[in-house]
Amino acid sequence: MMRGRNNATWLEAGFAKHVDEFWRLAGELEPFPRRLTGPASLALPLVVRELSPLTLDDIRLWLATRNITNSLEDAKWDANRRLRGCLLAYRGSAFVLVDSSDPDDEKRFTVAHELAHFLLDYWEPRLRSIATLGEDIIPALDGLRPPTRTERLHAILSTMSLGLHMDLMERTSSGGYTSQATLVAEERADRLALELLAPTADAWVVISEMLDASNASNTSTSYASLHKHSTEIFCQRYGLPEEQARPYSAWLLKKGGHSPGFRDWLGLGD
């Protein structure tokens, strides 16, 4: 097995802290493949609900029945647009809405992605704001009163929205993102989602064992074959969608010194 690499350094700073604290609060690690719905409700003020179909109109109705003012009320978007998931965080609690008609692997990653958004973009900034400014800031964070000038000037508030916090997970990524900040936020959520579902330390052992077996066979194995095999393992072991398993396994293979060669770029790697 390959040694000498500190895989913890591959994670963005702070991710390990989020993951360790999440599982500490949940009480125990969930076995693979993880669903996260149970641990999330134990560790956080967050509940997962499935709807079918999940559209913008469904979200508008869900919010209206709870008398929650939101930016969707006057939006001119297509009311029939389908979503994979949605995070709705309000007054310190959250719901993750998931399209129940999606395959299990897609629902699994949707939950993990929206849970990551909750931790990174809502829960951590909220706790940091309260710790710095005191509990008097809570009504402003919850949208129950406008923030004071001092609160507005405080840098912490620039990292989070006041009132309802919402994240919509599109059904495909082909539409791109409207800003660099959105792209960065989505990529960070994807990485933390993968760390919750398929932690790097465990995935690295899987990759290492596969590469050790390949080296022991004394036969030349193409990068394409290694990538295909590791992707299949990740889909089976962690229940990941192939769309997520492929780049994740490629990233780990690269960390292990395996990158696509010229023949692979030409599609001749097998």
Side-chain angles (χ1 to χ4, degrees), residues 15 18 115-125 185 188-189 192:
F15 275 14
H18 287 297
L115 173 58
H117 270 301
F118 177 77
L119 291 170
L120 294 171
D121 304 328
Y122 183 81
W123 191 241
E124 181 184 45
R188 292 180 72 229
L192 182 52

Side-chain angles (χ1 to χ4, degrees), residues 185-202:
E186 293 303 314
E187 288 181 342
R188 292 180 72 229
D190 279 352
R191 268 303 292 124
L192 182 52
L194 286 171
E195 192 61 25
L196 288 166
L197 291 173
T200 308
D202 191 89

Side-chain angles (χ1 to χ4, degrees), residues 160-172:
M160 68 178 299
S161 56
L162 303 181
L164 175 70
H165 178 92
M166 186 184 320
D167 177 77
L168 304 177
M169 189 173 182
E170 303 290 349
R171 295 197 67 78
T172 69

Side-chain angles (χ1 to χ4, degrees), residues 132-150:
T132 302
L133 299 175
E135 293 191 357
D136 288 345
I137 190 62
I138 293 177
L141 297 176
D142 293 345
L144 301 178
R145 66 164 174 81
T148 65
R149 182 180 180 184
T150 300

Side-chain angles (χ1 to χ4, degrees), residues 76-98:
K76 304 302 181 182
W77 301 333
D78 179 8
N80 294 321
R81 194 175 75 187
R82 292 281 298 276
L83 302 167
R84 288 204 183 280
C86 174
L87 168 68
L88 300 168
Y90 188 60
R91 298 187 183 182
S93 300
F95 277 90
V96 171
L97 306 180
V98 181

Side-chain angles (χ1 to χ4, degrees), residues 9 24 46 54 67 108 153 160 178 193 205 213 246 266:
T9 63
R24 184 187 72 79
L46 182 147
L54 181 61
N67 297 316
R108 179 179 290 107
L153 289 175
M160 68 178 299
T178 58
V205 171
R246 285 181 60 82
L266 294 177

Side-chain angles (χ1 to χ4, degrees), residues 7-246:
N7 52 52
T9 63
W10 304 350
L11 298 179
E12 181 174 330
F15 275 14
K17 174 192 70 176
H18 287 297
V19 174
D20 291 345
E21 179 65 5
F22 174 79
W23 290 115
R24 184 187 72 79
L25 293 173
E28 61 180 351
L29 291 173
E30 185 178 18
F32 304 124
R34 296 168 172 170
R35 299 189 65 85
L36 295 181
T37 54
S41 64
L42 291 172
L44 300 163
L46 182 147
V47 176
V48 177
R49 290 286 183 265
E50 294 190 6
L51 298 176
S52 183
L54 181 61
T55 67
L56 290 175
D57 261 359
D58 294 314
I59 297 170
R60 289 187 182 98
L61 178 60
W62 193 94
L63 292 168
T65 58
R66 290 160 178 79
N67 297 316
I68 300 176
T69 303
N70 62 90
S71 60
L72 291 180
E73 292 176 345
D74 300 319
K76 304 302 181 182
W77 301 333
D78 179 8
N80 294 321
R81 194 175 75 187
R82 292 281 298 276
L83 302 167
R84 288 204 183 280
C86 174
L87 168 68
L88 300 168
Y90 188 60
R91 298 187 183 182
S93 300
F95 277 90
V96 171
L97 306 180
V98 181
D99 190 334
S100 63
S101 64
D102 272 347
D104 284 346
D105 58 353
E106 292 290 355
K107 288 191 289 187
R108 179 179 290 107
F109 192 77
T110 295
V111 171
H113 178 93
E114 300 301 355
L115 173 58
H117 270 301
F118 177 77
L119 291 170
L120 294 171
D121 304 328
Y122 183 81
W123 191 241
E124 181 184 45
R126 180 183 178 87
L127 294 181
R128 194 167 66 244
S129 297
I130 295 171
T132 302
L133 299 175
E135 293 191 357
D136 288 345
I137 190 62
I138 293 177
L141 297 176
D142 293 345
L144 301 178
R145 66 164 174 81
T148 65
R149 182 180 180 184
T150 300
E151 292 166 349
R152 284 189 180 279
L153 289 175
H154 202 286
I156 292 177
L157 293 183
S158 67
T159 66
M160 68 178 299
S161 56
L162 303 181
L164 175 70
H165 178 92
M166 186 184 320
D167 177 77
L168 304 177
M169 189 173 182
E170 303 290 349
R171 295 197 67 78
T172 69
S173 58
S174 59
Y177 299 109
T178 58
S179 70
Q180 181 65 23
T182 301
L183 173 61
V184 170
E186 293 303 314
E187 288 181 342
R188 292 180 72 229
D190 279 352
R191 268 303 292 124
L192 182 52
L194 286 171
E195 192 61 25
L196 288 166
L197 291 173
T200 308
D202 191 89
W204 176 242
V205 171
V206 172
I207 290 289
S208 298
E209 290 177 346
M210 183 194 72
L211 293 177
D212 286 344
S214 176
N215 292 335
S217 68
N218 293 320
T219 59
S220 177
T221 305
S222 69
Y223 172 84
S225 295
L226 290 174
H227 188 205
K228 179 181 179 181
H229 186 40
S230 59
T231 297
E232 291 171 347
I233 293 174
F234 281 15
C235 289
Q236 180 177 5
R237 177 172 176 79
Y238 305 117
L240 296 177
E242 184 178 350
E243 182 181 0
Q244 304 300 330
R246 285 181 60 82

